[in-house]
Structures are given as structure tokens and as C-alpha cells.
């Protein structure tokens, strides 16, 4: 499915469950997201993260509402527990099946996101692997001067910000030298089109969740 439509569906479903109190809908969304993610064959490590990382915030929300809530607190405790898992699995169905490049490129071509923003974000994401290397360089340089820097030391962040400013200048010059002009019309080496079947599928998913909230006795 097209990355822009997947993002749209994820945002709409997340908004729906954030303003409703349906436990069953949360469970259904987790189940469908689970199947979708499994279909794309994630690694066992990613799969374990999706199960165990949400447990702590989900249990924290559940216990605070279950033990100290008022009114319909037991129902709300389970709503919050399942809602956190629903958020995580809906997000995983987007992030684990779509690359950053595909999403940003699709948003530029299909959602008309400004090219300056898209290519700036692509440049920033491509710099992420270099950040760890740069932090290690800063630590080693400080150690050669007899100074030990920890991850909470403000000097690291100050030096990292200065380095990032230098990178941003280099990135801007590189884009300009490759013919990038802000606001100018662009052609694309790879044109991303939304397949015709994506629209009815997206419509059915969104309408089905709304219809479930309105008509299901389990809501």
C-alpha cells in the first residue's frame, strides 16, 4: 500500500481510539496490525520489542487507574492498557513496513509536501548514523586532554550542536551544487503513484472502524 495512505490510516485510527473508550476496538486493531506486521516478516528482536516495550507504560496506566481511579475506573484501566498497545501496533504497521525514504518521497509527490522540507528531513535522517560516531570522537578528544565526558555532560551537547550547524551548512551547499532550488518545479527519477485499489481499501478500513464504534454492542 502507498506510504502516504498508510500514514493517513494510522493517524485516523489513532485519533478514533484516542477519543473513544472501546476495549474491543483496541484489541481488534492490535490483531489486524499484528497480522499485517507478521506478513512483512519482522525480525524476532523487533517482534519482542513490540510486545515487551509497551508493557511498562501500559501496566503503569492500568495500575494507576485501577487502584486510584474513580467512577468507571476498572473499564478505563483496561481501555488505557489496550489503547497503548493499539498505538504501538498501529505505529509499527507503518514504521516496520515502510522506509523513511519511501514515506517522505511519497508525501512529497502524493501529499504535496514542500520539497525543501522533504529533502531537509532526508538529509537529517541520513546524518543519524554519523551522530554516534561524532559523539565518540568528541569523547575521545576530551579524554586526550584529560577530561572525561559522560552522556549527561553539557559539553557534549554543545559540541554536537556546533557540529550539526556545520553539517547543515555543508548539506545546504551540497543540495545547491546539485541543482536544488527552493520552490522551483522538480522532476522525479522515480514517480510514485497511488494504486487504484488503495483508495477503496483505505476507505473500507476507516469506515469499518467508525461503523464498529457506532453499531457494535461490544463498544
Amino acid at each position: 500500500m502507498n506510504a502516504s495512505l498508510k500514514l493517513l490510516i494510522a493517524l485516523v485510527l489513532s485519533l478514533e481510539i484516542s477519543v473513544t473508550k472501546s476495549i474491543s476496538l483496541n484489541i481488534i486493531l492490535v490483531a489486524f496490525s499484528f497480522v499485517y506486521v507478521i506478513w512483512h516478516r519482522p525480525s524476532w528482536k523487533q517482534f519482542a520489542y513490540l510486545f515487551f516495550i509497551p508493557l511498562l507504560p501500559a501496566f503503569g496506566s492500568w495500575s494507576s487507574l485501577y487502584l486510584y481511579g474513580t467512577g468507571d475506573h476498572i473499564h478505563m484501566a483496561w481501555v488505557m492498557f489496550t489503547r497503548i498497545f493499539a498505538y504501538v501496533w498501529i505505529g509499527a504497521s507503518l514504521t516496520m513496513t515502510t522506509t523513511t525514504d519511501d514515506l517522505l518521497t511519497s508525501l512529497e509527490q502524493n501529499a504535496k509536501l514542500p520539497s525543501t522540507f522533504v529533502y531537509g528531513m532526508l538529509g537529517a535522517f541520513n546524518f543519524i548514523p554519523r551522530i554516534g560516531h561524532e559523539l565518540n570522537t568528541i569523547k575521545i578528544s576530551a579524554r586526550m586532554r584529560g577530561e572525561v565526558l559522560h552522556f549527561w555532560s553539557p559539553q557534549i551537547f554543545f559540541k554536537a550542536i556546533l557540529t550539526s550547524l556545520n553539517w547543515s551548512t555543508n548539506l545546504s551547499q551540497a543540495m545547491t551544487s546539485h541543482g536544488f532550488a527552493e520552490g522551483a518545479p522538480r522532476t522525479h527519477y522515480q514517480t510514485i503513484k497511488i494504486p487504484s485499489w488503495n483508495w477503496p481499501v483505505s476507505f473500507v478500513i476507516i469506515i469499518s472502524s467508525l461503523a464498529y464504534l457506532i453499531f457494535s454492542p461490544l463498544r
Side-chain angles (χ1 to χ4, degrees), residues 3 19 23 64 71 83 90 102 121 125 143 149 151 159 164 186 193 205 209 218:
V19 296
I23 298 174
S64 62
R83 183 182 292 173
I90 289 173
D102 289 342
M121 290 293 293
F125 278 111
R143 200 174 300 161
L149 296 180
F151 72 89
K159 293 177 185 294
S164 301
R186 296 183 57 82
K193 295 181 178 178
I205 293 173
S209 61
L218 297 176

Side-chain angles (χ1 to χ4, degrees), residues 100-206:
T100 304
D101 289 3
D102 289 342
L103 178 60
L104 289 173
T105 307
S106 174
L107 288 174
E108 182 202 6
Q109 296 186 31
N110 303 132
K112 306 304 179 188
L113 207 64
S115 301
T116 305
F117 176 79
V118 169
Y119 287 99
M121 290 293 293
L122 283 174
F125 278 111
N126 287 327
F127 275 127
I128 287 178
R130 295 184 57 186
I131 292 176
H133 176 73
E134 187 63 28
L135 292 178
N136 287 330
T137 303
I138 293 172
K139 287 182 181 178
I140 293 171
S141 300
R143 200 174 300 161
M144 293 175 67
R145 298 193 301 272
E147 184 180 4
V148 178
L149 296 180
H150 302 283
F151 72 89
W152 59 81
S153 302
Q155 293 94 329
I156 288 184
F157 299 103
F158 180 71
K159 293 177 185 294
I161 290 172
L162 292 180
T163 304
S164 301
L165 291 175
N166 187 33
W167 287 351
S168 67
T169 303
N170 293 339
L171 176 63
S172 175
Q173 292 175 349
M175 292 174 68
T176 304
S177 65
H178 279 75
F180 181 86
E182 185 174 358
R186 296 183 57 82
T187 58
H188 300 92
Y189 173 73
Q190 182 181 8
T191 303
I192 298 178
K193 295 181 178 178
I194 301 178
S196 57
W197 62 270
N198 280 195
W199 292 107
V201 170
S202 304
F203 182 78
V204 167
I205 293 173
I206 294 173

